[in-house]
């Protein structure tokens, strides 16, 4: 079956139009704060809207049906097109003159990685900082999911895109119609963002800082308006606890949040993935807090200035914050954890491979995949003793088909191979071991902070241009969970059937 290029380019045009619309919102913020880049942002928006409009005009009245192959192409190339056009505000305003740097910053935004090449964030115009945060927010739930909410207006079904956008092991739907599912997810997403903005503002953040950090927390992104990230508010624990709460919620399956809002709290609390996610956070926080308190190589008073609620609270807060920031792949930092103990450096590096819940905005492998891998591993012992027995893996009291288990095993192998190849390629740019493995794990898991020269208090400005493109590719395949992008590199995908 030949590919329907008309529907592909029609949908890509729609995505570009979305991008241009959000740029207009950034121009409005620029106008309100009179930061001097309003006209430039309008120019970037005009170019983007023109490109999107032309693409839709030249492909108008496409065939309404879209098969799975076309869905994969739209998702994968959609993210690339979004990043290419999303770089325009940086380039046109002169905030990031280099297109390579601008593309890296934009891809880091849309994939909610949060790695930045900016040396002085606070010197950036307000409109640019808001655009930077918006790229996180758009990418967090996925521009594809946003777009299918309005596809009925075009008479085009969106199930194919949703399947490619969310290729996890479970496919829970809140409503039989996929467009209604997308609308409900976005309603929760928007509600969390608004609630966090209000709470941060009441806690003492300026409204501009509050809305930017809300956009970047709910999307598990990690861009901040301050050079020191959330460490800027180390003397204000309430602000950090609010961010902690919303990082936890953003790393939870949004379907469970929907059930909780509908009064089905027990259904959410009894979910196996949620229980393991909560246990991981609790156990890892306890380990980190004890080590920070008793073994950290720096004084806690040098982290929190002034000391507010005592060293015990400070150790707990920084441990909980960093554990959640890495597990949920948000990437905010309150301190340089690479200065604590060697054990904690390796510990936090390991957490980069964990990821939040499936159905959340987090990157990484995802807790449910680890859960099923662990269960299957233990069942192998039982199968060895009873080779004739049929012992299925169970999740939420339901037997899981062997196909799903094999898919997860394949994903994990492919993920580790991508990490190893990623690190090897980074080492070709004469980066040391810490930097290479840290960059590969962070980029693939969409975490943000890495190790060595690219640790939590550093940025990616020193990364060579080619390495930035490689990191961008790893961010993309990590955000779309490998198969969606890598399947495009297989010869059988492009064969006519």
């Amino acid at each position: 079956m030949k590919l329907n290029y008309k529907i592909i380019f029609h949908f890509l045009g729609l995505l570009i139009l979305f991008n241009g619309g959000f740029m207009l919102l950034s121009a409005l913020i620029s106008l309100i704060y009179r930061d001097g880049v309003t006209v430039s942002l309008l120019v970037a928006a005009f170019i983007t809207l023109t490109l999107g409009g032309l693409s839709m005009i030249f492909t108008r009245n496409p065939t309404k049906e879209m098969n799975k192959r076309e869905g994969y192409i739209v998702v994968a190339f959609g993210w690339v097109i979004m990043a290419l056009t999303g770089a325009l505000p940086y380039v046109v305003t002169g905030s990031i003159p280099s297109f390579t740097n601008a593309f890296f910053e934009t891809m880091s935004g849309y994939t909610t990685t949060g790695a930045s090449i900016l040396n002085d964030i606070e010197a950036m115009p307000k409109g640019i900082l808001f655009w930077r945060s918006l790229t996180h927010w758009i990418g967090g739930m996925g521009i594809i999911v946003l777009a299918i909410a309005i596809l009925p207006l075009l008479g085009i079904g969106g199930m194919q895109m949703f399947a490619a956008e969310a290729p996890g092991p479970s496919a829970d739907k809140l409503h039989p119609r996929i467009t209604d599912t997308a609308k409900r997810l976005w309603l929760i997403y928007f509600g969390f963002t608004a609630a966090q903005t209000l709470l941060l503002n009441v806690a003492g953040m300026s409204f501009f800082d509050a809305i930017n950090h809300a956009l970047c927390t709910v999307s598990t992104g990690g861009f901040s308006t301050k050079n020191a990230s959330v460490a800027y508010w180390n003397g204000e624990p309430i602000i950090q606890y609010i961010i902690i709460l919303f990082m936890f919620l953003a790393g939870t399956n949004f379907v469970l949040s929907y059930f909780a809002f509908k009064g089905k709290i027990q259904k959410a609390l009894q979910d196996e993935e949620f229980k393991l996610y909560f246990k991981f956070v609790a156990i890892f926080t306890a380990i980190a807090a004890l080590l920070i308190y008793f073994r950290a190589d720096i004084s806690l008073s040098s982290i929190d200035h002034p000391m507010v609620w005592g060293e015990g609270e400070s150790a707990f807060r920084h441990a909980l914050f960093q554990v959640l920031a890495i597990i949920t792949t948000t990437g905010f930092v309150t301190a340089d954890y690479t200065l604590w103990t060697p054990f904690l450096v390796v510990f936090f590096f390991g957490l980069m491979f964990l990821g939040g819940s499936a159905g959340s905005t987090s990157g990484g492998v995802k807790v449910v995949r680890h859960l099923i891998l662990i269960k299957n591993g233990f069942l192998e012992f039982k199968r060895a003793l009873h080779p004739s027995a049929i012992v299925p893996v169970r999740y939420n009291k339901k037997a899981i088909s062997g196909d799903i288990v094999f898919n997860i095993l394949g994903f994990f192998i492919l993920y580790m191979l991508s990490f190893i190849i990623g690190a090897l390629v980074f080492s070709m740019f004469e980066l040391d071991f810490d930097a290479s493995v840290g960059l590969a794990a962070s980029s693939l898991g969409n975490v943000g902070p890495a190790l060595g020269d690219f640790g939590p208090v550093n940025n990616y400005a020193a990364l060579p241009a080619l390495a930035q493109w490689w990191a961008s590719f790893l961010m993309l395949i990590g955000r779309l969970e490998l198969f969606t992008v890598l399947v495009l590199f297989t010869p059988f995908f492009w064969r006519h059937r």
Side-chain angles (χ1 to χ4, degrees), residues 6 84 111 237 319 356:
K6 197 170 184 180
L84 288 169
T111 57

PDB file of all heavy atoms in Angstrom, residues 6 84 111 237 319 356:
ATOM      1  N   LYS A   6      -0.242  13.085   1.009  1.00  0.00           N
ATOM      2  CA  LYS A   6      -1.082  14.271   1.121  1.00  0.00           C
ATOM      3  C   LYS A   6      -1.576  14.464   2.553  1.00  0.00           C
ATOM      4  O   LYS A   6      -1.498  15.561   3.105  1.00  0.00           O
ATOM      5  CB  LYS A   6      -2.273  14.159   0.164  1.00  0.00           C
ATOM      6  CG  LYS A   6      -2.983  15.487  -0.105  1.00  0.00           C
ATOM      7  CD  LYS A   6      -3.993  15.339  -1.234  1.00  0.00           C
ATOM      8  CE  LYS A   6      -4.622  16.691  -1.556  1.00  0.00           C
ATOM      9  NZ  LYS A   6      -5.612  16.577  -2.658  1.00  0.00           N
ATOM     10  N   LEU A  84      12.355  22.313  14.237  1.00  0.00           N
ATOM     11  CA  LEU A  84      12.962  23.185  13.220  1.00  0.00           C
ATOM     12  C   LEU A  84      12.288  24.557  13.199  1.00  0.00           C
ATOM     13  O   LEU A  84      12.957  25.593  13.176  1.00  0.00           O
ATOM     14  CB  LEU A  84      12.872  22.534  11.837  1.00  0.00           C
ATOM     15  CG  LEU A  84      13.800  21.336  11.585  1.00  0.00           C
ATOM     16  CD1 LEU A  84      13.420  20.637  10.287  1.00  0.00           C
ATOM     17  CD2 LEU A  84      15.261  21.787  11.546  1.00  0.00           C
ATOM     18  N   THR A 111      11.120  17.759  23.783  1.00  0.00           N
ATOM     19  CA  THR A 111      11.264  16.412  24.333  1.00  0.00           C
ATOM     20  C   THR A 111      11.266  16.423  25.855  1.00  0.00           C
ATOM     21  O   THR A 111      11.415  15.378  26.482  1.00  0.00           O
ATOM     22  CB  THR A 111      12.573  15.754  23.839  1.00  0.00           C
ATOM     23  OG1 THR A 111      13.681  16.580  24.200  1.00  0.00           O
ATOM     24  CG2 THR A 111      12.547  15.556  22.329  1.00  0.00           C
ATOM     25  N   PRO A 237      11.692  26.897  51.508  1.00  0.00           N
ATOM     26  CA  PRO A 237      11.300  25.490  51.368  1.00  0.00           C
ATOM     27  C   PRO A 237       9.893  25.279  50.809  1.00  0.00           C
ATOM     28  O   PRO A 237       9.653  24.315  50.072  1.00  0.00           O
ATOM     29  CB  PRO A 237      11.390  24.949  52.796  1.00  0.00           C
ATOM     30  CG  PRO A 237      12.360  25.849  53.480  1.00  0.00           C
ATOM     31  CD  PRO A 237      12.160  27.201  52.875  1.00  0.00           C
ATOM     32  N   ALA A 319      17.045  15.591  49.216  1.00  0.00           N
ATOM     33  CA  ALA A 319      17.021  14.203  48.750  1.00  0.00           C
ATOM     34  C   ALA A 319      15.739  13.926  47.964  1.00  0.00           C
ATOM     35  O   ALA A 319      15.776  13.393  46.850  1.00  0.00           O
ATOM     36  CB  ALA A 319      17.135  13.253  49.941  1.00  0.00           C
ATOM     37  N   GLY A 356       9.412   7.735  35.045  1.00  0.00           N
ATOM     38  CA  GLY A 356       8.169   7.800  35.800  1.00  0.00           C
ATOM     39  C   GLY A 356       7.190   6.732  35.326  1.00  0.00           C
ATOM     40  O   GLY A 356       7.569   5.689  34.795  1.00  0.00           O
TER      41      GLY A 356
END
